[in-house]
Amino acid sequence: MGNDFVNVALQFLPLLAILLFANWGERLRQQGAPYMAPVVVSYVATALLYLAAFVLGLAFMLSATLPAAPIQIESPAWLGFGVLLPSVIGLLLLLKPVRRLVARFTNLEPDHPVHTVALALTMTPILNQGLTLGIGLKTITNLIAQQVEETGTAPVSLTGLWAQNIMFVLIALIGVGWLTRRSFRQSLVRLGIVRPSGRDLLIGAAAALVLIPIIPILMSLLTNAGVGVDQNVESLTELLTGALFATPLGILSVGLAPGIGEESVFRGAMQPRFGLIITSLLFALVHGQYGLSLATLVVFGLGLVLGLVRNYTNTTTSMLTHALYNSGTAMLAYLGIQFLTQQGR
């Protein structure tokens, strides 16, 4: 369990360091002091991440053409388009003329170091999707299933789930200036994390209660319209989350952990700068286990609703909606499994 937390923390460490240096540079800039040294560190580190991704994409593409490739690549074209292109765009977004162009339709400031790295890092969910689709959901599912069979452990543990979302909270806090430009209380206010009123609680609960039945109905309508559910998505999702849905603590954690972590980053830190549509799109793409499927469209719709809740109330309320929706759907899945188990006896 401890290893799960450490492994997740190490994966997020480069991103936390980039945001910390960028905020340090912004604090110096606001003070009128020389600020380029930490800013350059954050820009170079971001550029190195994308250069590494570019090289990785090339390596995958080349290995896909070899007779004895270590991994069966389902779509070398997706690796080229979905990994190499976002890597190049991520590098271009570090350039001031490109930032000025993007600033015309967002609330980003082109000279703000934190806004610059945040803008460049928006390519990481797209890059991750390209890598997922290139390798293929079926291949990834088989690899994870093989790992589970060999180790006897679930691919996503409760510790890993909470560790990931604790890191999301840290990204949000450090991203808006905690430890450098803002106090902890000021950072919470910037994120929209406040003590909810009775009205906020009612709105959050009502939104979740509406979403829980509406989304399955919407999926059913789309399926009947010819937009089918990808069996590979269902298999991978079951493999990743099936164990979590099997216990009350897992069901509670599936709601609370992403509700707190993902909302802190997307609705708290990002939405005030990137706007509702871009933030919801990135929210959908960061769920890489869905590939590009009906489930991705549903998550995009969920992101829009959560974003509207955040706009009309605060991030705490969108956290409540997200947590209740996730736990509600997990509970329905658990009850469905129990019902089928009873029927099979």
Side-chain angles (χ1 to χ4, degrees), residues 6 20 54 67 80 106 113 143 196 218 239 241 249 275 283 285 331 334:
V6 171
L20 195 62
F54 188 88
T106 63
L143 289 172
L218 178 61
L239 186 61
T241 61
L249 180 59
F283 175 68
L285 292 175
M331 177 61 73
Y334 173 78

Side-chain angles (χ1 to χ4, degrees), residues 234-252:
E234 289 193 341
S235 299
L236 181 56
T237 302
E238 171 62 26
L239 186 61
L240 292 173
T241 61
L244 297 175
F245 286 11
T247 65
L249 180 59
I251 291 171
L252 185 64

